[in-house]
Amino acid sequence: MKTPCLGQDIPKLGFGLMRLPTLGPTGPAAAIDVEQVMAMTDRFMEQGFTYFDTAYVYGNGNSEMAARDALVRRYPRNSFQLADKMPMGLAKTQADLRPLLETSLARTEAGYFDFYLLHALDQEKYKHSEAIGAWDFLHQIKDEGLIRHAGFSFHDTPEVLDEILTARPEVEFVQLQINYADWEDENSQAQSKRCYEVARRHNKPIVIMEPVKGGFLADMNQEVMKLFKAARPNDSAAAWALRYAASLDGLITVLSGMSNLEQMEDNLATMSSFIAFTDDDRLVIDQVMDVLKNIPVIGCTDCKYCLDGCPQQINIPGIFSLANDYKVYGNITGSRNAYRWVTGRGGKASDCIECRACEQTCPQHLEIVDLLKEAAAILE
Ligand code: SF4
Ligand code: SF4
């Protein structure tokens, strides 16, 4: 008899609890509008969807507590799956791991997590996870019944993904950034297609994150919308992005970070009567990508050569990538929100002191100082 694949019975839309509606001013620790999250949770469950995804760091713990109030305290524990994540940046030593998990369990009151992930592994965090025994810890807490399935979310190259999955065959699933705009884009950090292929080669079921590219693909320019509406008049841009992701094989679910009831209704309409991508749909996406590729952008290849010599520790390629996202998708709110994250650990574009050390190392001969001024004008 064929062994059932992990997650095959889970409906293919997951509620990502990272961008929940807030009360008053937004910000990393803004108070969440729990009443609205309850209404969203009720609509989601009513329509037969059951997968929820939070993390220790989302909203400084407010997301985990919203999951408790809207979901865990109001629905039988076996009627939904809850995913949570170990914050690898805060786990400095092995002794930190258990208190961090226990904090997540206490905040959510979930008793156990159906899916538990090492959060946002890249090469550096993967090495750190090995050094502090994070994988032994996952085995231990699984034996103790505190988690059901162990995996990781991922933000690096396909080569690093292959390295981790080869070294850690016990990994049960991976969470990857996949969307149509990054599918074949070699310059994109996500490299969706190649990471997807690596995970499939290792037989790992996949949770898709950012199918709408952090909201960028929900708000497209008029030329793109004309193409979408000509093919499917009733579908939103977000619906195209969700259907593209959810049509892939080997999925546990596709997360959507819904921020209000309206977005939830749009996602539910798409996924409740899901229609898999057709060959005609793929042709439309090819046309959309042609439109997007013809928009002039900064020719930064993300080689990172400029980073070492910058006295202001400005994340130059990260800032250029966001400036490009803005040029292509025109989503100012999404770009400015992402800018706060990208510049969180270093200088902003406007901190540049024009020493031009970066320009001397840039193989693309970019006029970085001027481009940073442009980026600051848009993003700050
Ligand atoms: S010119 Fe600006 S961005 Fe370039 S190295 Fe100097 S401070 Fe950094
Ligand atoms: S050196 Fe030039 S191409 Fe490379 S990351 Fe920096 S700005 Fe981009």
Side-chain angles (χ1 to χ4, degrees):
M1 204 174 75
K2 210 175 152 197
T3 328
C5 171
L6 173 63
Q8 87 181 8
D9 298 332
I10 294 176
K12 300 303 171 220
L13 175 65
F15 187 176
L17 306 177
M18 187 168 82
R19 302 185 189 93
L20 291 174
T22 53
L23 295 165
T26 53
I32 286 172
D33 178 354
V34 177
E35 291 292 317
Q36 189 170 174
V37 179
M38 284 182 187
M40 292 165 78
T41 300
D42 293 345
R43 283 293 293 139
F44 190 72
M45 293 288 279
E46 244 169 60
Q47 295 287 310
F49 295 97
T50 55
Y51 191 102
F52 294 77
D53 173 87
T54 184
Y56 182 100
V57 295
Y58 293 171
N60 282 356
N62 287 341
S63 165
E64 290 181 323
M65 289 186 277
R68 174 197 65 202
D69 295 340
L71 178 70
V72 178
R73 287 183 176 172
R74 300 170 65 239
Y75 287 90
R77 182 65 188 86
N78 62 3
S79 64
F80 59 86
Q81 298 85 34
L82 183 59
D84 208 317
K85 309 188 191 76
M86 168 63 66
M88 294 309 294
L90 299 178
K92 305 286 181 214
T93 69
Q94 189 165 31
D96 295 331
L97 294 166
R98 191 167 287 269
L100 288 165
L101 167 73
E102 282 172 356
T103 300
S104 291
L105 286 167
R107 284 177 184 161
T108 57
E109 296 179 6
Y112 63 91
F113 295 121
D114 302 85
F115 293 83
Y116 195 64
L117 303 88
L118 302 185
H119 199 169
L121 287 196
D122 54 16
Q123 176 111 61
E124 195 186 320
K125 289 208 189 86
Y126 166 59
K127 286 198 173 132
H128 179 62
S129 72
E130 291 286 2
I132 65 169
W135 302 87
D136 293 341
F137 177 70
L138 290 179
H139 299 159
Q140 236 173 54
I141 59 176
K142 191 172 170 187
D143 288 347
E144 292 169 29
L146 298 176
I147 66 169
R148 296 276 154 90
H149 301 291
F152 61 90
S153 60
F154 183 73
H155 297 268
D156 210 327
T157 62
E159 289 73 23
V160 175
L161 181 61
D162 190 44
E163 180 190 341
I164 302 175
L165 292 177
T166 304
R168 289 288 169 188
E170 70 269 35
V171 165
E172 292 173 271
F173 68 99
V174 291
Q175 185 161 311
L176 300 176
Q177 293 185 78
I178 292 181
N179 59 69
Y180 68 76
D182 293 326
W183 184 245
E184 290 194 279
D185 185 353
E186 288 291 316
N187 291 328
S188 142
Q189 192 212 16
Q191 296 197 42
S192 295
K193 183 181 184 202
R194 291 186 56 222
C195 284
Y196 172 78
E197 287 169 351
V198 169
R200 295 289 285 157
R201 206 164 59 241
H202 285 269
N203 275 323
K204 302 301 174 193
I206 297 162
V207 174
I208 291 185
M209 58 180 161
E210 305 294 5
V212 193
K213 200 173 162 64
F216 284 108
L217 304 182
D219 195 5
M220 303 296 279
N221 66 39
Q222 282 184 358
E223 204 178 343
V224 169
M225 285 315 294
K226 236 190 229 167
L227 291 168
F228 281 154
K229 290 292 174 195
R232 292 186 181 270
N234 297 324
D235 284 9
S236 65
W240 279 86
L242 264 187
R243 286 181 52 243
Y244 183 92
S247 297
L248 292 166
D249 290 331
L251 304 186
I252 294 175
T253 197
V254 178
L255 298 176
S256 176
M258 295 166 268
S259 299
N260 54 49
L261 257 174
E262 193 190 345
Q263 286 173 8
M264 172 151 282
E265 292 298 351
D266 186 54
N267 285 186
L268 289 175
T270 307
M271 297 304 291
S272 301
S273 46
F274 177 67
I275 302 168
F277 243 61
T278 62
D279 289 344
D280 286 348
D281 291 331
R282 284 183 203 290
L283 288 177
V284 173
I285 291 294
D286 288 346
Q287 290 171 316
V288 166
M289 290 309 295
D290 285 343
V291 172
L292 298 184
K293 278 178 196 152
N294 282 327
I295 296 172
V297 292
I298 303 168
C300 170
T301 58
D302 195 31
C303 67
K304 299 184 173 63
Y305 295 158
C306 53
L307 291 179
D308 280 347
C310 176
Q312 300 295 88
Q313 297 184 315
I314 297 170
N315 180 355
I316 301 163
I319 291 170
F320 286 170
S321 165
L322 280 180
N324 285 346
D325 278 345
Y326 174 71
K327 285 169 195 261
V328 174
Y329 305 109
N331 180 336
I332 191 64
T333 312
S335 303
R336 287 186 178 158
N337 285 341
Y339 183 74
R340 279 196 284 277
W341 287 103
V342 161
T343 55
R345 282 197 283 179
K348 299 199 297 286
S350 58
D351 292 329
C352 173
I353 55 170
E354 304 189 22
C355 68
R356 298 189 190 269
C358 53
E359 293 187 353
Q360 283 158 29
T361 57
C362 178
Q364 307 304 321
H365 308 294
L366 296 177
E367 293 178 352
I368 295 175
V369 171
D370 292 343
L371 291 168
L372 283 175
K373 280 183 191 160
E374 261 177 49
I378 299 165
L379 297 169
E380 290 180 14

